[in-house]
Amino acid sequence: MTCTGRLGPQSTVATACSPNSIGALLDGTWLDPDDGQPIRVPVLAVAIERSLAGIEAELVRPLPLGRRLAVVSDANTSQVAGTRIARALASLGEVLTVTLDSGAHADAATVQRVRTACATADALVAVGSGTINDLCKYAAAKDGKPYVVFATAPSMNGYTSMNAAITVDGHKKSLPAAAPLGVFIDLAVFAAAPARMIRAGLGDSLCRSTAQADWRLSRHLFGTDYREAPFALLAADEPALLAAPEALFGGDLDAMGALARTLVLSGFGMTICRGSYPASQGEHLISHYVDMFAPVDRPAYFHGEQVGVATLTMARIQEAMLDGPAPRVAATSISREALRHRFSDEIGDSCWNEFAVKRLSEQAAAELSGRIADNWGAMCTDLRPDMIPAATLADTMARAGCPQTPDEIGVTSDFYERAVRDARFLRDRYTFLDLAADAGRPTLLS
């Protein structure tokens, strides 16, 4: 078993696992702060190395993948690492190479293309980042096959999660997927990734704060299950990313190691919680809305770039709500037909099925207002300590060159205001987007 606690003799990243949470999770010795019980994740191996060149087959050989491996990449990641990895893995058995177009999307049609191309393979080897990883993990789950991933960019936190962001009939959904048996990260490759992809990974990481606040809000208001474990995993590395984001762009492998661990551990947090709850709340709903409804001629933007902008929005909404008086909520008046008109018949029906779970009746609104009035002070006290101030987020993003405004992710202010207003209809999770809207505070949503 390889983990970040054992980086290998060629590595100079001496602090790459301090504390060794990843190794403990792989060994089943990491203790859950919620109940004190040990947690083991389904991933068998994680390697975060200064370089993986020459040891690819060594990393894969111990894993139960079979002898027919499909190496899946796109036109870009094939050049970065896919060709090299396919050549290295040929020593283990038969290798089938599947190269997608560089503009491939993580949607149902492309999943089917991957499944067809990999039909004769025993296992999938993803070489890429967000799109390639999501396609492979979902295709592997559908066909009951194992998969591993050689990550090529620090652009998102889904490498170790068991869910995939797949667009189905125009509606972007988080769907159950296979956990990788191995996750292999070459820090030199990460450091050489385009700056925008590094910024995207930082943006995706910064949402820890807003996602935790949203999830805690739901626990207070509705008794939703909540766990501290996924956030405890991230505590060691977050301060360094906030303090010196510039280091990510100067070839500093210690800094890149901190980001890589954060992305891996965030994915493990989702796996532990059996869902994306600890890493995907209101900020991701806004990003999903942008993905679904932005003009078709809009240039492509990375998921983490959008999430970073949305995280800053959510932090400001959360602060404004917590700084104000206890809100009183009203019954939700929107109907299925209104959502069908607002989106489309098919997407509107899908959104209604999600939103109906948290739609407030007159009685439910009255009861919720009472709970808020009785517990608002305690809620604020509980939520605030782990929130990163919006000003700190903005400063960190500015120093890293991350997008912060709608126009920097290619949408108008009017469109973004609609995204913030209507994103809550996309999923059944109750977030500060819902609280602000149900409390009739629309200025917070613009």
Side-chain angles (χ1 to χ4, degrees):
M1 182 184 298
T2 304
C3 77
T4 53
R6 296 186 287 278
L7 283 175
Q10 77 275 32
S11 177
T12 61
V13 190
T15 61
C17 202
S18 178
N20 188 8
S21 300
I22 295 176
L25 285 170
L26 299 180
D27 293 337
T29 58
W30 193 79
L31 299 182
D32 189 337
D34 293 304
D35 61 14
Q37 297 300 306
I39 291 176
R40 181 189 292 274
V41 293
V43 179
L44 300 181
V46 174
I48 301 178
E49 299 277 358
R50 181 181 181 86
S51 173
L52 298 182
I55 63 171
E56 299 93 343
E58 176 188 335
L59 294 172
V60 171
R61 183 177 288 108
L63 303 177
L65 298 177
R67 291 187 54 80
R68 293 174 60 85
L69 305 178
V71 176
V72 182
S73 59
D74 65 22
N76 293 326
T77 63
S78 176
Q79 294 182 26
V80 170
T83 299
R84 185 192 86 204
I85 290 167
R87 187 182 305 117
L89 298 187
S91 64
L92 304 180
E94 182 179 347
V95 172
L96 168 69
T97 59
V98 178
T99 307
L100 303 176
D101 294 337
S102 58
H105 296 288
D107 55 29
T110 310
V111 169
Q112 187 55 49
R113 287 199 292 274
V114 171
R115 294 176 65 190
T116 300
C118 300
T120 62
D122 297 322
L124 280 66
V125 178
V127 181
S129 54
T131 297
I132 294 296
N133 186 56
D134 278 342
L135 288 169
C136 288
K137 70 164 62 176
Y138 191 62
K142 296 292 284 186
D143 292 331
K145 296 179 178 180
Y147 98 102
V148 299
V149 57
F150 284 84
T152 57
S155 55
M156 56 91 211
N157 63 355
Y159 289 118
T160 52
S161 73
M162 295 179 67
N163 49 278
I166 304 294
T167 300
V168 181
D169 296 326
H171 192 173
K172 190 164 187 177
K173 298 183 176 183
S174 181
L175 301 175
L181 293 189
V183 178
F184 310 121
I185 294 174
D186 185 319
L187 291 177
V189 171
F190 267 26
R196 281 185 61 192
M197 299 190 81
I198 299 173
R199 293 184 185 113
L202 179 62
D204 211 12
S205 300
L206 293 177
C207 78
R208 188 283 307 163
S209 173
T210 58
Q212 185 173 11
D214 275 345
W215 203 16
R216 271 186 169 154
L217 174 77
S218 184
R219 176 188 63 172
H220 279 287
L221 299 186
F222 300 104
T224 306
D225 287 340
Y226 169 87
R227 298 183 68 173
E228 288 288 346
F231 307 111
L233 288 170
L234 302 175
D237 286 308
E238 185 177 82
L241 295 177
L242 293 173
E246 306 92 335
L248 295 170
F249 306 94
D252 185 331
L253 295 190
D254 285 337
M256 190 56 70
L259 180 58
R261 285 193 305 277
T262 294
L263 298 173
V264 166
L265 289 167
S266 180
F268 275 142
M270 291 187 273
T271 295
I272 290 168
C273 295
R274 299 185 180 277
S276 59
Y277 315 102
S280 175
Q281 294 282 342
E283 73 294 319
H284 274 69
L285 296 183
I286 296 171
S287 178
H288 291 341
Y289 184 100
V290 173
D291 286 334
M292 292 168 63
F293 301 111
V296 294
D297 59 350
R298 168 180 174 256
Y301 286 84
F302 292 111
H303 166 80
E305 292 179 304
Q306 297 175 179
V307 168
V309 174
T311 294
L312 195 53
T313 298
M314 285 304 304
R316 289 166 175 160
I317 291 172
Q318 290 169 348
E319 286 181 3
M321 291 296 296
L322 295 178
D323 287 343
R328 182 170 184 82
V329 300
T332 313
S333 59
I334 199 162
S335 65
R336 178 194 292 265
E337 287 306 312
L339 290 183
R340 287 165 64 98
H341 177 75
R342 187 169 297 187
F343 300 126
S344 71
D345 288 354
E346 192 167 22
I347 296 177
D349 284 340
S350 179
C351 288
W352 176 260
N353 292 336
E354 293 283 335
F355 182 69
V357 176
K358 59 184 179 181
R359 183 172 178 267
L360 297 178
S361 66
E362 293 284 355
Q363 179 178 348
E367 292 174 352
L368 181 57
S369 292
R371 288 198 298 276
I372 292 172
D374 292 341
N375 299 290
W376 186 244
M379 288 171 54
C380 293
T381 299
D382 181 51
L383 268 61
R384 285 186 186 279
D386 292 317
M387 293 172 61
I388 302 173
T392 300
L393 291 172
D395 178 66
T396 299
M397 294 167 70
R399 285 185 288 137
C402 296
Q404 297 187 57
T405 62
D407 64 288
E408 291 177 303
I409 54 170
V411 297
T412 66
S413 295
D414 287 344
F415 174 88
Y416 190 73
E417 287 178 10
R418 291 195 300 275
V420 177
R421 181 195 68 192
D422 289 345
R424 71 190 191 111
F425 299 119
L426 301 183
R427 194 175 291 177
D428 61 0
R429 296 173 190 177
Y430 197 93
T431 74
F432 273 91
L433 293 176
D434 295 286
L435 183 60
D438 289 339
R441 299 187 183 176
T443 56
L444 297 181
L445 302 178
S446 60

